[in-house]
């Protein structure tokens, strides 16, 4: 059986370093808000290219805290609108609605599967305050047009970078930004394009912890200070509470593990890109369609989605032939029970079609050439 993702093999690759890191924390007797968090936050903000990184409990919280901070700082008001791609994972939408803000769902571009920048302006109203841009499947969703729209309508650009750790973007860093950290590249990474970004370190992500974890990156000090407080009961000083926050901290063991894995992230992403290239070059089945492959993009292939009109049949066939796949995502947020009635009779045909046709093939940094070959041959034999 070729598993969709073998977390065991991914962890085994860096087992010695991970064991050492975990042992160090165990022996230290210090398990929360310590040196490991400080070190990881510094390394991750340098890696992403922002001044601040705030570790927190998970990716959903990271996004919730960004919008909660906008509310606490008086930058947004309850009922304000946030544009978000309709085909995203539910967490992006929950982060908006949890804060009493209104999620405005906009269709993806059927070629890239990312937010369709030509449909954004129609969704803007006087209450629109932000775009939550999701870099879905590992591809940078930012376009110059999105930047222009944000400027024109004074919208705050927030990134959901749960699925694109390490992805470069077509946006060039300014001189000042290059001096910010140890950045040695000209292009921005996802997570440093907007005003703030939420990152998830869920185990299956490109940079995954051995449990839950998340972070916010930003260059805005006021926002960073507020978010750090919110994720720690709303406190900036021990036993003094400025905001009604929650316990949403990243623990020391996860921070230590993430710091190890961060050192290998670029290499791991390169291996994912190689696997993706192998799929693109060798899957030859007219019933299977790929999302557009852009020559100069730096897709980090958190997932490898393909589209197929007979998706369920294909998935069953692959399962019977030893290839595990997943669907991202079978039910879009607007059709979920929890959001019944939220958007009335909204029409999102592209999103609904993707939910019926998308299938994610196994991809990771530990898949062997032999595994990839089996997946390709099995798919090419279908029908
Ligand atoms: C696009 C997206 N946003 C947010 C999240 C939430 O992250 P977490 O599971 O760490 O809360 C995830 C992953 O689960 C995700 O895929």
């Amino acid at each position: 059986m070729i598993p969709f993702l073998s977390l065991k093999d991914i962890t085994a690759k860096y087992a010695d370093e991970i064991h050492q890191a975990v042992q160090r924390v165990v022996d230290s007797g210090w398990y929360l808000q310590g040196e490991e968090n400080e070190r990881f936050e510094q390394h991750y903000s340098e890696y992403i290219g922002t001044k601040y990184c705030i570790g927190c409990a998970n990716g959903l919280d990271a996004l919730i805290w960004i919008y909660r901070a906008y509310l606490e700082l008086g930058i947004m008001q309850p009922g304000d609108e946030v544009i978000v791609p309709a085909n995203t994972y539910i967490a992006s939408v929950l982060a908006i609605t949890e804060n009493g803000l209104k999620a405005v769902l906009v269709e993806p571009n059927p070629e890239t599967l990312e937010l369709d920048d030509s449909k954004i302006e129609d969704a803007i109203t006087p209450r629109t305050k932000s775009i939550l841009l999701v870099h879905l499947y590992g591809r940078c969703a930012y376009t110059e047009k999105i930047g222009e729209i944000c400027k024109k309508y004074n919208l705050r650009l927030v990134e959901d970078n749960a699925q694109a750790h390490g992805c470069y973007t077509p946006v060039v860093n300014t001189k000042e930004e290059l001096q910010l950290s140890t950045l040695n590249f000209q292009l921005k990474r996802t997570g440093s394009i907007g005003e703030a970004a939420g990152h998830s370190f869920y185990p299956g992500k490109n940079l995954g912890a051995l449990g839950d974890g998340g972070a916010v990156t930003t260059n805005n000090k006021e926002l960073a200070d507020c978010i750090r407080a919110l994720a720690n009961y709303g406190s900036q000083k021990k036993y003094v509470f400025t905001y009604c926050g929650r316990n949403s901290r990243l623990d020391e063991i996860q921070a230590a593990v993430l710091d190890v894995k961060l050192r290998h992230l670029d290499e791991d992403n390169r291996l994912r890109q190689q696997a993706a290239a192998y799929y693109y070059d060798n899957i030859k089945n007219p019933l299977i369609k790929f999302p557009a492959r852009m020559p100069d993009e730096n897709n980090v292939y958190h997932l490898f989605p393909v589209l197929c009109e007979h998706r369920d049949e294909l998935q069953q066939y692959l399962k019977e032939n030893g290839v595990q796949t997943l669907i991202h995502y079978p039910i879009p947020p607007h059709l979920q029970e929890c959001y019944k009635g939220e958007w009335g009779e909204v029409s999102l045909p592209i999103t609904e079609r993707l939910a019926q046709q998308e299938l994610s093939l196994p991809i990771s940094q530990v898949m062997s050439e032999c595994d990839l070959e089996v997946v390709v041959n099995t798919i090419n034999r279908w029908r």
Side-chain angles (χ1 to χ4, degrees):
M1 183 71 169
I2 295 173
F4 180 72
L5 182 68
S6 172
L7 289 178
K8 200 172 164 190
D9 290 344
I10 288 177
T11 306
K13 197 172 169 199
Y14 308 118
D16 288 348
E17 286 174 82
I18 290 174
H19 287 152
Q20 267 177 29
V22 171
Q23 193 66 48
R24 185 175 67 236
V25 180
V26 171
D27 292 346
S28 74
W30 194 280
Y31 306 121
L32 282 169
Q33 295 182 295
E35 283 174 12
E36 303 291 343
N37 261 264
E38 253 174 56
R39 189 178 307 120
F40 172 67
E41 286 178 353
Q42 189 192 333
H43 288 162
Y44 195 62
S45 60
E46 284 173 2
Y47 179 83
I48 294 294
T50 55
K51 282 188 194 160
Y52 309 104
C53 168
I54 305 107
C56 65
N58 54 64
L60 170 61
D61 277 5
L63 294 170
I64 287 177
W65 298 137
I66 293 170
Y67 284 103
R68 180 72 51 81
Y70 283 139
L71 292 166
E72 294 287 358
L73 298 172
I75 293 166
M76 286 187 196
Q77 306 302 323
D80 281 347
E81 295 173 11
V82 179
I83 286 172
V84 64
N87 61 327
T88 188
Y89 180 58
I90 198 149
S92 326
V93 184
L94 283 171
I96 299 167
T97 58
E98 269 260 331
N99 277 306
L101 299 164
K102 199 172 156 215
V104 177
L105 306 174
V106 171
E107 291 263 59
N109 175 326
E111 299 298 317
T112 63
L113 316 186
E114 308 295 337
L115 182 63
D116 188 341
D117 59 11
S118 72
K119 298 213 163 97
I120 296 175
E121 281 191 279
D122 283 350
I124 292 176
T125 76
R127 291 220 71 171
T128 311
K129 292 289 155 34
S130 169
I131 297 177
L132 177 51
L133 188 62
V134 186
H135 305 298
L136 208 60
Y137 304 126
R139 190 205 293 266
C140 175
Y142 181 81
T143 62
E144 262 178 40
K145 182 158 185 189
I146 292 178
E148 284 160 15
I149 291 172
C150 286
K151 265 204 197 113
K152 182 170 165 191
Y153 297 93
N154 195 21
L155 307 181
R156 286 170 195 264
L157 184 64
V158 174
E159 295 165 80
D160 180 340
N161 199 38
Q163 301 193 1
H165 309 132
C167 180
Y168 290 91
T169 73
V171 188
V172 178
N173 272 302
T174 62
K175 264 197 186 149
E176 194 210 349
E177 283 167 338
L178 279 172
Q179 282 161 2
L180 251 184
S181 60
T182 55
L183 283 183
N184 57 358
F185 49 89
Q186 289 294 316
L187 300 178
K188 279 184 191 285
R189 285 194 200 273
T190 52
S192 69
I193 314 171
E195 184 170 46
H199 307 252
S200 161
F201 305 127
Y202 177 81
K205 300 296 195 230
N206 290 36
L207 179 59
L210 301 185
D212 275 316
V216 173
T217 51
T218 180
N219 285 326
N220 181 327
K221 182 168 187 326
E222 202 186 7
L223 205 60
D225 288 346
C226 183
I227 288 169
R228 191 173 289 288
L230 285 167
N232 184 32
Y233 287 108
S235 168
Q236 279 163 330
K237 197 171 150 202
K238 204 166 171 71
Y239 302 131
V240 180
F241 302 94
T242 317
Y243 311 105
C244 294
R246 260 201 292 115
N247 179 349
S248 172
R249 299 180 293 229
L250 179 67
D251 71 64
E252 289 283 275
I253 289 184
Q254 298 309 336
V257 169
L258 287 166
D259 202 49
V260 168
K261 293 182 80 177
L262 179 59
R263 295 202 279 272
H264 303 286
L265 179 58
D266 284 344
E267 171 62 7
D268 285 346
N269 282 341
R270 199 184 57 75
L271 293 168
R272 284 173 177 274
Q273 287 164 344
Q274 260 179 17
Y278 185 82
Y279 281 153
Y280 272 117
D281 294 342
N282 293 288
I283 294 177
K284 300 215 181 324
N285 185 325
L287 297 172
I288 289 163
K289 296 201 176 60
F290 297 109
R293 185 187 189 190
M294 264 86 100
D296 58 348
E297 72 176 347
N298 183 263
N299 191 331
V300 292
Y301 295 102
H302 170 56
L303 297 168
F304 192 88
V306 295
L307 303 176
C308 176
E309 281 183 26
H310 314 278
R311 189 265 318 274
D312 294 345
E313 195 190 313
L314 171 64
Q315 185 175 39
Q316 184 61 25
Y317 160 83
L318 288 172
K319 187 178 164 197
E320 283 162 9
N321 287 276
V323 178
Q324 197 185 21
T325 57
L326 288 178
I327 297 167
H328 297 93
Y329 298 94
I331 308 174
H334 71 285
L335 298 179
Q336 295 285 353
E337 179 76 22
C338 63
Y339 279 130
K340 212 169 173 188
E342 178 84 10
W343 293 282
E345 290 292 299
V346 68
S347 165
L348 297 162
I350 298 171
T351 298
E352 289 176 22
R353 198 177 71 229
L354 290 176
Q356 281 160 11
Q357 296 190 354
E358 195 276 347
L359 190 69
S360 300
L361 303 183
I363 191 162
S364 79
Q365 61 270 43
V366 293
M367 269 186 87
S368 66
E369 274 177 37
C370 177
D371 287 349
L372 292 165
E373 213 178 296
V374 170
V375 176
V376 166
N377 291 340
T378 312
I379 291 178
N380 287 349
R381 276 201 312 270
W382 183 50
R383 280 204 181 210

